[in-house]
Amino acid sequence: MSFSKHIENRNDYQTPALLDYIRKAFSSEDARHQTLLDEMQTHGLPAIQIGASEGKILQFLIKSCQAKKAVEIGTLGGYSALWIADALPKDGKLYTMEIDPDTAAGTKKTLKEVGLSDKVSIVIGDANETLETIEPFGPFDFCFIDADKISYPNYLLWAERNLCPGGIVAADNAYLFGQVHLNPDMAGADAVAISAMQSFIKILTDPSRFSISAMIPTGEGLAVGIRGRQPKVE
Ligand SMILES: C[S@@+](CC[C@H](N)C(=O)[O-])C[C@H]1O[C@@H](n2cnc3c(N)ncnc32)[C@H](O)[C@@H]1O
């Protein structure tokens, strides 16, 4: 085993206590984050939002490409939307897509409560259909994918077409809950999702589409890519 492989493979430093220390050091939340989390609980939404550390990574990416216009696919209770919106400039805008009308209605109210109703617009419906409706507001600088996994390739192709050159795409759950490396033919009911995530990774790692891509090894895998200067001609 090579030395570098050995280093890359070790994650035994990442104890819960260490991760908690890192989260507190880098990713301070304020009362608004707690408001969103409390409202999610009140409305019975599942606690499947990103963590604060991922929120801070999204902010790092947004600032590094000086993003002004952002898209999020998968709103839930607006927790990641808050992290994204905070990293945009005062006149920045986030369009966040949510399929469930009740979830969207509750989150719209909560985002108003935390002062984000102007900066964040929730678009209700299946993002596979509604993304097209925001295209006139593009091109966009940043796109965060965090919704149904089987649509990840479709969302990524949309991002490729609608991001500015140099714009950044980030996608959560890219490890597909520990299954992304499995052979879909042997995976039974999970085959479709595994194939989809493998297609997503194939597109993201194609340098003719995204000039650079990487997997940030968060707990769930945060896949990132920078849209190349020239869109791929099919
Ligand atoms: C993992 S949660 C998003 C969490 C959120 N990004 C956060 O970290 O706070 C996924 C959300 O995507 C929504 N969703 C699932 N399929 C969708 C689709 N096809 N179009 C739009 N939203 C979808 C779900 O209803 C759910 O609210």
Side-chain angles (χ1 to χ4, degrees), residues 3 5 8 30 34 36-37 67 82 93 97 103 111 120 163 172 189 204-205 215-216 219 224:
F3 180 67
K5 189 163 192 299
E8 192 174 340
D30 60 34
Q34 197 53 52
L36 290 174
L37 295 173
L82 173 58
K93 183 83 188 173
M97 328 300 285
T103 300
L111 287 174
V120 182
L163 281 173
D172 197 22
L204 187 69
T205 54
M215 183 70 79
I216 301 179
V224 295

Side-chain angles (χ1 to χ4, degrees), residues 40 45-46 48-51 72-81 96-100 103 123 125-128 130 144-149 151 155 172-173:
M40 282 178 64
L45 294 181
I48 52 172
Q49 73 280 358
I50 57 165
E72 171 180 68
I73 308 171
T75 314
L76 193 68
Y79 182 80
S80 52
T96 179
M97 328 300 285
E98 174 54 52
I99 197 168
D100 183 68
T103 300
V123 181
D126 183 342
N128 288 290
T130 56
F144 178 47
I145 302 174
D146 189 18
D148 54 318
K149 310 310 159 203
S151 301
Y155 298 151
D172 197 22
N173 306 116

Side-chain angles (χ1 to χ4, degrees), residues 42-109:
T42 305
H43 291 105
L45 294 181
I48 52 172
Q49 73 280 358
I50 57 165
S53 297
E54 283 84 44
K56 201 63 188 289
I57 293 172
L58 296 184
Q59 293 194 330
F60 186 96
L61 297 170
I62 289 164
K63 295 269 187 197
S64 70
C65 70
Q66 297 180 308
K68 201 168 164 181
K69 285 191 270 179
V71 177
E72 171 180 68
I73 308 171
T75 314
L76 193 68
Y79 182 80
S80 52
L82 173 58
W83 284 98
I84 294 169
D86 274 356
L88 297 171
K90 269 197 172 64
D91 58 346
K93 183 83 188 173
L94 170 65
Y95 299 90
T96 179
M97 328 300 285
E98 174 54 52
I99 197 168
D100 183 68
D102 293 337
T103 300
T107 301
K108 192 173 175 190
K109 275 192 201 147

Side-chain angles (χ1 to χ4, degrees), residues 9-220:
N9 282 348
R10 69 177 307 163
N11 62 8
D12 48 338
Y13 299 136
Q14 294 186 18
T15 61
L18 181 143
L19 291 173
D20 194 46
Y21 169 83
I22 295 297
R23 184 180 54 76
K24 285 182 181 142
F26 284 90
S27 316
S28 54
E29 293 174 294
D30 60 34
R32 297 167 309 150
H33 296 89
Q34 197 53 52
T35 301
L36 290 174
L37 295 173
D38 290 346
E39 288 296 323
M40 282 178 64
Q41 211 172 6
T42 305
H43 291 105
L45 294 181
I48 52 172
Q49 73 280 358
I50 57 165
S53 297
E54 283 84 44
K56 201 63 188 289
I57 293 172
L58 296 184
Q59 293 194 330
F60 186 96
L61 297 170
I62 289 164
K63 295 269 187 197
S64 70
C65 70
Q66 297 180 308
K68 201 168 164 181
K69 285 191 270 179
V71 177
E72 171 180 68
I73 308 171
T75 314
L76 193 68
Y79 182 80
S80 52
L82 173 58
W83 284 98
I84 294 169
D86 274 356
L88 297 171
K90 269 197 172 64
D91 58 346
K93 183 83 188 173
L94 170 65
Y95 299 90
T96 179
M97 328 300 285
E98 174 54 52
I99 197 168
D100 183 68
D102 293 337
T103 300
T107 301
K108 192 173 175 190
K109 275 192 201 147
T110 320
L111 287 174
K112 191 171 178 194
E113 242 178 273
V114 299
L116 282 177
S117 48
D118 289 339
K119 211 175 193 183
V120 182
S121 290
I122 304 184
V123 181
I124 303 170
D126 183 342
N128 288 290
E129 287 152 22
T130 56
L131 279 167
E132 178 180 305
T133 67
I134 62 164
E135 285 177 11
F137 306 111
F140 302 95
D141 309 297
F142 181 78
C143 179
F144 178 47
I145 302 174
D146 189 18
D148 54 318
K149 310 310 159 203
I150 55 169
S151 301
Y152 270 36
N154 194 30
Y155 298 151
L156 185 60
L157 291 171
W158 183 88
E160 185 196 11
R161 290 193 303 277
N162 290 280
L163 281 173
C164 324
I168 291 180
V169 63
D172 197 22
N173 306 116
Y175 292 164
L176 195 61
F177 316 110
Q179 292 192 301
V180 70
H181 60 297
L182 300 180
N183 179 348
D185 295 338
M186 315 283 282
D190 297 323
V192 177
I194 293 171
S195 291
M197 196 59 85
Q198 290 178 354
S199 299
F200 166 87
I201 287 178
K202 203 165 175 201
I203 299 164
L204 187 69
T205 54
D206 177 347
S208 72
R209 293 180 179 278
F210 291 89
S211 56
I212 182 113
S213 59
M215 183 70 79
I216 301 179
T218 59
E220 297 286 341

